[in-house]
Amino acid sequence: MAAEIIDGRALARAVRREVKARVSELAGRGVVPGLAVVLAGDDPASQIYVRSKAKMAARVGIAARTVRLPAEVSAGDLLAVVERLNADEAVHGILVQLPLPAGISPEDAGRILRAIDPAKDVDGLHPASLGALVAGEPGFVACTPSGCMRMLAAHGVPIEGKRAVVIGRSTIVGKPMALLLLAAHATVTVCHSRTADLKARVREADIVVAAVGRPQMVRGDWIKPGAAVIDVGINRTPEGTLVGDVHFAEVAAVAGHLTPVPGGVGPMTIASLLHNVSLAAAGRPGGAR
Ligand code: NAD
């Protein structure tokens, strides 16, 4: 079997068209959606992500600004920046790019994310947004998992009653992904670094989401024939190319659907962010689900 490849770039273009239409509608009411990205330090991957977010925002008519801060910035200064953006009426969405510099403790990082006004939490990482997801209430959904759900939906992958395995339990990807699949009535197993016999768990799944950060860890013989496989991982090889957490060639020969890296989940993550910003500007957090 040769898997149907889920083209994240094409789907992201379609999402951007929807967002652009909403942005035009808002313009008629005199509203220009505004996104503020806070970038502290000089992590090279973060620089690239922030640049692409700003570029894509501009394409759909979202006014994006990046607040650049030095790696030595204090937690207090970061909190002050977030407070200022909370109070700024031109800013509808606030995103603090992670990871924060090494000098910011995990506790302070938590305080900084919690300081974001939940109505502007377009990254969906505030405890209020995560809590709303658990409770099935309206709220912003983290961008990567919501992009993954759109990819499954766009290709008509059935979820209700199916077995889903999410590999990875981070707050940014794994946990919200599992909750979204659960809300769509899948039977969900969350696997992680201490899961016993990971291959056997994955082999049971109709839907596999790999969000680990280990190059090509998921092999062809882990996959149930016909399963839908979403590869969230972004890993740089020593040769400088990007690969996912899934061994693409092997899995493509077995799976029913597969997302590529690059050109899969990455573009959809940014498209979901733009979607969330347009909803925030329209005063509708939670239309995302
Ligand atoms: P993370 O490091 O926070 O979490 C990784 C998870 O993988 C952990 O829960 C851990 O328990 C699990 N894990 C580690 N080793 C494992 C093993 N051997 N077997 C099973 N599970 C194991 O990472 P994250 O932020 O969730 O990101 C995961 C990957 O997704 C990374 O490659 C990251 O770059 C990528 N990512 C991509 C996008 C995108 O837009 N495409 C967005 C976010 C993250």
Side-chain angles (χ1 to χ4, degrees):
M1 174 185 298
E4 195 173 308
I5 304 302
I6 302 181
D7 182 347
R9 289 195 182 106
L11 289 175
R13 273 195 295 276
V15 175
R16 286 201 299 274
R17 276 196 295 275
E18 278 172 34
V19 174
K20 214 168 171 174
R22 189 173 300 120
V23 170
S24 308
E25 220 177 276
L26 287 165
R29 293 196 255 141
V31 177
V32 177
L35 166 68
V37 179
V38 180
L39 174 60
D42 41 24
D43 178 72
S46 294
Q47 305 272 352
I48 296 172
Y49 295 148
V50 167
R51 260 202 306 276
S52 10
K53 286 168 188 173
K55 187 171 122 193
M56 293 301 169
R59 272 197 200 173
V60 296
I62 290 173
R65 71 168 96 138
T66 304
V67 181
R68 290 176 191 275
L69 299 163
E72 309 73 46
V73 67
S74 68
D77 284 350
L78 267 165
L79 278 170
V81 167
V82 169
E83 293 299 352
R84 181 163 55 74
L85 295 171
N86 280 343
D88 188 335
E89 286 182 7
V91 173
H92 301 95
I94 303 171
L95 183 161
V96 175
Q97 183 66 39
L98 300 175
L100 285 168
I104 304 291
S105 68
E107 292 71 31
D108 281 339
R111 279 171 59 213
I112 291 157
L113 291 181
R114 278 198 300 278
I116 296 173
D117 177 347
K120 298 189 178 188
D121 179 38
V122 288
D123 227 5
L125 299 181
H126 190 288
S129 306
L130 294 165
L133 184 56
V134 173
E137 288 173 10
F140 289 113
V141 181
C143 300
T144 300
S146 68
C148 294
M149 292 301 284
R150 270 191 188 249
M151 294 174 106
L152 292 169
H155 280 256
V157 173
I159 300 177
E160 186 173 336
K162 300 296 178 186
R163 298 192 73 159
V165 163
V166 178
I167 321 173
R169 57 175 163 182
S170 70
T171 305
I172 300 177
V173 188
K175 284 181 196 164
M177 186 73 233
L179 289 165
L180 288 174
L181 287 164
L182 189 60
H185 312 294
T187 301
V188 184
T189 302
V190 182
C191 297
H192 47 79
S193 54
R194 298 187 206 178
T195 295
D197 205 354
L198 179 62
K199 176 177 166 181
R201 298 288 74 75
V202 174
R203 181 108 194 139
E204 292 163 351
D206 304 298
I207 299 165
V208 179
V209 181
V212 181
R214 287 188 162 230
Q216 304 180 315
M217 182 183 87
V218 177
R219 309 298 301 248
D221 63 352
W222 292 28
I223 300 299
K224 177 171 163 179
V229 181
I230 305 284
D231 190 354
V232 178
I234 302 178
N235 310 285
R236 201 167 281 282
T237 63
E239 298 75 41
T241 51
L242 288 185
V243 296
D245 290 344
V246 172
H247 192 297
F248 186 83
E250 285 183 11
V251 171
V254 186
H257 293 86
L258 175 61
T259 66
V261 176
V265 175
M268 283 302 284
T269 295
I270 298 183
S272 299
L273 170 69
L274 305 178
H275 174 76
N276 281 352
V277 175
S278 70
L279 291 177
R284 282 171 44 205
R289 239 175 295 147

Short mmCIF file of all heavy atoms in Angstrom, two decimals, residues 49 144 167-174 191-195 198 210-214 217 222 231-235 245 264-270, ligand 1:
data_model
loop_
_atom_site.label_atom_id
_atom_site.label_comp_id
_atom_site.label_asym_id
_atom_site.label_seq_id
_atom_site.Cartn_x
_atom_site.Cartn_y
_atom_site.Cartn_z
N TYR A 49 11.27 30.37 13.23
CA TYR A 49 9.81 30.22 13.43
C TYR A 49 9.14 31.58 13.51
O TYR A 49 8.09 31.81 12.90
CB TYR A 49 9.50 29.44 14.72
CG TYR A 49 9.97 28.01 14.72
CD1 TYR A 49 10.39 27.39 15.89
CD2 TYR A 49 9.99 27.25 13.55
CE1 TYR A 49 10.83 26.07 15.89
CE2 TYR A 49 10.43 25.94 13.55
CZ TYR A 49 10.86 25.35 14.72
OH TYR A 49 11.29 24.06 14.72
N THR A 144 -0.39 23.48 17.13
CA THR A 144 0.07 22.26 16.44
C THR A 144 -1.02 21.17 16.49
O THR A 144 -1.37 20.62 15.43
CB THR A 144 1.40 21.77 17.04
OG1 THR A 144 2.36 22.81 16.86
CG2 THR A 144 1.90 20.52 16.37
N ILE A 167 2.31 9.72 20.62
CA ILE A 167 3.62 9.48 21.23
C ILE A 167 4.19 10.84 21.63
O ILE A 167 4.45 11.68 20.77
CB ILE A 167 4.60 8.75 20.28
CG1 ILE A 167 3.90 7.67 19.46
CG2 ILE A 167 5.75 8.15 21.07
CD1 ILE A 167 4.80 7.04 18.39
N GLY A 168 4.35 11.05 22.93
CA GLY A 168 4.78 12.34 23.46
C GLY A 168 3.69 12.91 24.33
O GLY A 168 2.51 12.84 23.98
N ARG A 169 4.09 13.47 25.47
CA ARG A 169 3.08 14.00 26.41
C ARG A 169 3.39 15.44 26.81
O ARG A 169 3.17 15.84 27.96
CB ARG A 169 3.01 13.11 27.66
CG ARG A 169 4.34 12.96 28.37
CD ARG A 169 4.20 12.17 29.65
NE ARG A 169 5.51 11.70 30.09
CZ ARG A 169 5.70 10.95 31.16
NH1 ARG A 169 4.68 10.57 31.90
NH2 ARG A 169 6.91 10.56 31.50
N SER A 170 3.93 16.22 25.87
CA SER A 170 4.23 17.62 26.22
C SER A 170 2.92 18.41 26.31
O SER A 170 1.89 18.02 25.76
CB SER A 170 5.15 18.25 25.17
OG SER A 170 4.45 18.43 23.96
N THR A 171 3.02 19.54 27.00
CA THR A 171 1.85 20.42 27.15
C THR A 171 1.53 21.11 25.83
O THR A 171 0.39 21.48 25.57
CB THR A 171 2.15 21.48 28.24
OG1 THR A 171 2.52 20.77 29.41
CG2 THR A 171 0.96 22.34 28.53
N ILE A 172 2.56 21.26 25.00
CA ILE A 172 2.38 22.00 23.73
C ILE A 172 1.74 21.11 22.67
O ILE A 172 0.93 21.56 21.88
CB ILE A 172 3.74 22.52 23.22
CG1 ILE A 172 4.35 23.46 24.25
CG2 ILE A 172 3.62 23.18 21.86
CD1 ILE A 172 5.72 23.98 23.88
N VAL A 173 2.14 19.83 22.65
CA VAL A 173 1.64 18.96 21.57
C VAL A 173 0.89 17.73 22.12
O VAL A 173 -0.31 17.57 21.90
CB VAL A 173 2.77 18.48 20.64
CG1 VAL A 173 2.16 17.75 19.43
CG2 VAL A 173 3.66 19.61 20.15
N GLY A 174 1.61 16.85 22.80
CA GLY A 174 1.05 15.54 23.13
C GLY A 174 -0.26 15.58 23.90
O GLY A 174 -1.26 14.97 23.49
N CYS A 191 1.52 7.68 24.81
CA CYS A 191 2.79 7.00 25.08
C CYS A 191 3.88 8.04 25.32
O CYS A 191 3.77 9.18 24.87
CB CYS A 191 3.18 6.12 23.89
SG CYS A 191 1.99 4.80 23.58
N HIS A 192 4.92 7.63 26.02
CA HIS A 192 5.99 8.58 26.37
C HIS A 192 7.28 7.82 26.59
O HIS A 192 7.36 6.62 26.30
CB HIS A 192 5.57 9.40 27.60
CG HIS A 192 5.01 8.58 28.69
ND1 HIS A 192 5.82 7.86 29.55
CD2 HIS A 192 3.73 8.26 29.01
CE1 HIS A 192 5.03 7.19 30.39
NE2 HIS A 192 3.76 7.41 30.07
N SER A 193 8.27 8.52 27.13
CA SER A 193 9.62 7.92 27.23
C SER A 193 9.64 6.69 28.13
O SER A 193 10.56 5.88 28.02
CB SER A 193 10.61 8.97 27.75
OG SER A 193 10.12 9.51 28.94
N ARG A 194 8.66 6.52 29.01
CA ARG A 194 8.69 5.36 29.89
C ARG A 194 7.63 4.31 29.54
O ARG A 194 7.36 3.40 30.32
CB ARG A 194 8.51 5.80 31.34
CG ARG A 194 9.67 6.70 31.72
CD ARG A 194 9.70 7.07 33.15
NE ARG A 194 10.41 8.35 33.26
CZ ARG A 194 10.59 9.01 34.37
NH1 ARG A 194 10.11 8.52 35.50
NH2 ARG A 194 11.24 10.13 34.38
N THR A 195 7.03 4.46 28.38
CA THR A 195 6.05 3.47 27.94
C THR A 195 6.75 2.14 27.64
O THR A 195 7.77 2.12 26.96
CB THR A 195 5.33 3.97 26.67
OG1 THR A 195 4.58 5.13 27.01
CG2 THR A 195 4.41 2.92 26.07
N LEU A 198 6.64 0.20 23.27
CA LEU A 198 6.04 1.26 22.46
C LEU A 198 5.58 0.75 21.08
O LEU A 198 4.48 1.06 20.62
CB LEU A 198 7.08 2.39 22.29
CG LEU A 198 6.67 3.58 21.45
CD1 LEU A 198 5.48 4.31 22.07
CD2 LEU A 198 7.84 4.56 21.30
N ALA A 210 3.04 11.28 16.13
CA ALA A 210 4.38 11.19 16.72
C ALA A 210 4.89 12.58 17.03
O ALA A 210 5.07 13.41 16.13
CB ALA A 210 5.32 10.49 15.75
N ALA A 211 5.10 12.88 18.32
CA ALA A 211 5.58 14.20 18.76
C ALA A 211 6.65 13.97 19.82
O ALA A 211 6.41 14.15 21.02
CB ALA A 211 4.43 15.03 19.30
N VAL A 212 7.81 13.55 19.37
CA VAL A 212 8.86 13.12 20.30
C VAL A 212 10.12 13.98 20.16
O VAL A 212 10.68 14.45 21.15
CB VAL A 212 9.23 11.63 20.02
CG1 VAL A 212 10.31 11.15 20.99
CG2 VAL A 212 7.99 10.74 20.12
N GLY A 213 10.57 14.15 18.91
CA GLY A 213 11.84 14.84 18.71
C GLY A 213 13.00 13.87 18.57
O GLY A 213 14.11 14.15 18.97
N ARG A 214 12.71 12.67 18.00
CA ARG A 214 13.76 11.67 17.73
C ARG A 214 13.69 11.28 16.26
O ARG A 214 12.68 10.70 15.83
CB ARG A 214 13.53 10.41 18.57
CG ARG A 214 13.86 10.65 20.01
CD ARG A 214 13.80 9.34 20.76
NE ARG A 214 14.52 9.49 22.00
CZ ARG A 214 15.45 8.65 22.42
NH1 ARG A 214 15.75 7.58 21.74
NH2 ARG A 214 16.07 8.87 23.56
N MET A 217 12.23 7.71 14.37
CA MET A 217 12.08 6.68 15.40
C MET A 217 10.98 5.66 15.04
O MET A 217 11.11 4.46 15.31
CB MET A 217 11.75 7.35 16.73
CG MET A 217 11.61 6.40 17.89
SD MET A 217 11.13 7.27 19.39
CE MET A 217 9.38 7.27 19.21
N TRP A 222 6.15 -0.77 12.75
CA TRP A 222 5.39 -0.36 13.93
C TRP A 222 3.93 -0.06 13.55
O TRP A 222 3.10 0.17 14.42
CB TRP A 222 5.94 0.94 14.52
CG TRP A 222 7.30 0.87 15.14
CD1 TRP A 222 8.33 0.04 14.84
CD2 TRP A 222 7.77 1.74 16.18
NE1 TRP A 222 9.41 0.33 15.62
CE2 TRP A 222 9.10 1.37 16.45
CE3 TRP A 222 7.21 2.80 16.90
CZ2 TRP A 222 9.87 2.01 17.42
CZ3 TRP A 222 7.97 3.44 17.85
CH2 TRP A 222 9.30 3.04 18.12
N ASP A 231 3.12 13.14 11.55
CA ASP A 231 4.49 13.29 12.04
C ASP A 231 4.73 14.74 12.46
O ASP A 231 4.86 15.63 11.62
CB ASP A 231 5.45 12.89 10.91
CG ASP A 231 6.89 12.80 11.38
OD1 ASP A 231 7.17 13.14 12.54
OD2 ASP A 231 7.74 12.37 10.57
N VAL A 232 4.76 14.97 13.76
CA VAL A 232 4.94 16.33 14.28
C VAL A 232 6.42 16.69 14.40
O VAL A 232 6.81 17.85 14.36
CB VAL A 232 4.23 16.48 15.65
CG1 VAL A 232 4.45 17.86 16.24
CG2 VAL A 232 2.74 16.19 15.53
N GLY A 233 7.27 15.69 14.55
CA GLY A 233 8.69 15.92 14.85
C GLY A 233 9.39 16.76 13.80
O GLY A 233 9.10 16.68 12.60
N ILE A 234 10.30 17.59 14.28
CA ILE A 234 11.19 18.34 13.38
C ILE A 234 12.60 18.11 13.91
O ILE A 234 12.93 18.54 15.02
CB ILE A 234 10.90 19.85 13.39
CG1 ILE A 234 9.45 20.12 13.00
CG2 ILE A 234 11.85 20.59 12.45
CD1 ILE A 234 9.07 21.60 13.03
N ASN A 235 13.40 17.39 13.16
CA ASN A 235 14.76 17.09 13.61
C ASN A 235 15.73 17.42 12.48
O ASN A 235 15.45 17.12 11.32
CB ASN A 235 14.87 15.58 13.92
CG ASN A 235 13.76 15.09 14.83
OD1 ASN A 235 13.78 15.34 16.02
ND2 ASN A 235 12.77 14.39 14.27
N ASP A 245 9.82 12.47 13.06
CA ASP A 245 9.99 11.37 14.01
C ASP A 245 9.65 10.03 13.36
O ASP A 245 9.78 8.98 13.98
CB ASP A 245 9.05 11.57 15.21
CG ASP A 245 9.46 12.73 16.09
OD1 ASP A 245 10.62 13.18 15.97
OD2 ASP A 245 8.63 13.17 16.91
N GLY A 264 4.47 19.40 6.20
CA GLY A 264 3.32 18.73 6.80
C GLY A 264 2.73 19.57 7.92
O GLY A 264 2.07 20.59 7.68
N VAL A 265 3.01 19.14 9.15
CA VAL A 265 2.42 19.79 10.33
C VAL A 265 2.94 21.23 10.51
O VAL A 265 2.19 22.10 10.96
CB VAL A 265 2.71 18.94 11.60
CG1 VAL A 265 2.23 19.64 12.85
CG2 VAL A 265 2.07 17.56 11.46
N GLY A 266 4.19 21.49 10.14
CA GLY A 266 4.78 22.83 10.35
C GLY A 266 3.92 23.95 9.77
O GLY A 266 3.50 24.85 10.50
N PRO A 267 3.63 23.93 8.46
CA PRO A 267 2.80 25.00 7.89
C PRO A 267 1.41 25.08 8.52
O PRO A 267 0.84 26.17 8.66
CB PRO A 267 2.68 24.62 6.41
CG PRO A 267 3.78 23.65 6.14
CD PRO A 267 4.13 23.00 7.44
N MET A 268 0.87 23.92 8.91
CA MET A 268 -0.47 23.92 9.52
C MET A 268 -0.46 24.55 10.91
O MET A 268 -1.46 25.12 11.35
CB MET A 268 -1.01 22.49 9.59
CG MET A 268 -1.50 21.98 8.27
SD MET A 268 -2.79 23.04 7.57
CE MET A 268 -4.20 22.56 8.57
N THR A 269 0.66 24.43 11.61
CA THR A 269 0.77 25.05 12.93
C THR A 269 0.66 26.56 12.80
O THR A 269 -0.09 27.22 13.53
CB THR A 269 2.13 24.66 13.58
OG1 THR A 269 2.12 23.26 13.82
CG2 THR A 269 2.36 25.40 14.89
N ILE A 270 1.36 27.11 11.82
CA ILE A 270 1.32 28.57 11.63
C ILE A 270 -0.07 28.99 11.16
O ILE A 270 -0.62 29.99 11.62
CB ILE A 270 2.42 29.03 10.65
CG1 ILE A 270 3.79 28.68 11.25
CG2 ILE A 270 2.30 30.53 10.36
CD1 ILE A 270 4.97 29.14 10.44
P1 NAD B 1 9.09 17.63 24.26
O1 NAD B 1 10.56 17.38 24.32
O2 NAD B 1 8.47 18.62 25.16
O3 NAD B 1 8.33 16.26 24.47
C1 NAD B 1 8.78 15.07 23.89
C2 NAD B 1 7.95 13.92 24.39
O4 NAD B 1 8.45 12.74 23.80
C3 NAD B 1 8.00 13.73 25.91
O5 NAD B 1 6.68 13.67 26.40
C4 NAD B 1 8.70 12.40 26.10
O6 NAD B 1 8.13 11.61 27.14
C5 NAD B 1 8.51 11.71 24.78
N1 NAD B 1 9.63 10.82 24.47
C6 NAD B 1 10.94 11.10 24.53
N2 NAD B 1 11.66 10.02 24.18
C7 NAD B 1 10.78 9.04 23.90
C8 NAD B 1 10.91 7.69 23.49
N3 NAD B 1 12.09 7.14 23.30
N4 NAD B 1 9.79 6.99 23.30
C9 NAD B 1 8.57 7.54 23.49
N5 NAD B 1 8.39 8.81 23.87
C10 NAD B 1 9.49 9.55 24.08
O7 NAD B 1 8.80 17.98 22.73
P2 NAD B 1 7.56 18.72 22.01
O8 NAD B 1 7.64 20.17 22.25
O9 NAD B 1 6.29 18.00 22.28
O10 NAD B 1 7.98 18.47 20.48
C11 NAD B 1 8.11 17.16 19.95
C12 NAD B 1 8.66 17.26 18.55
O11 NAD B 1 7.74 17.99 17.75
C13 NAD B 1 9.97 18.00 18.40
O12 NAD B 1 10.70 17.42 17.34
C14 NAD B 1 9.57 19.40 18.03
O13 NAD B 1 10.57 20.08 17.29
C15 NAD B 1 8.38 19.11 17.18
N6 NAD B 1 7.40 20.19 17.10
C16 NAD B 1 6.95 20.51 15.87
C17 NAD B 1 5.99 21.49 15.71
C18 NAD B 1 5.51 21.80 14.34
O14 NAD B 1 4.94 22.84 14.12
N7 NAD B 1 5.67 20.90 13.39
C19 NAD B 1 5.48 22.16 16.83
C20 NAD B 1 5.93 21.78 18.09
C21 NAD B 1 6.89 20.78 18.21
#
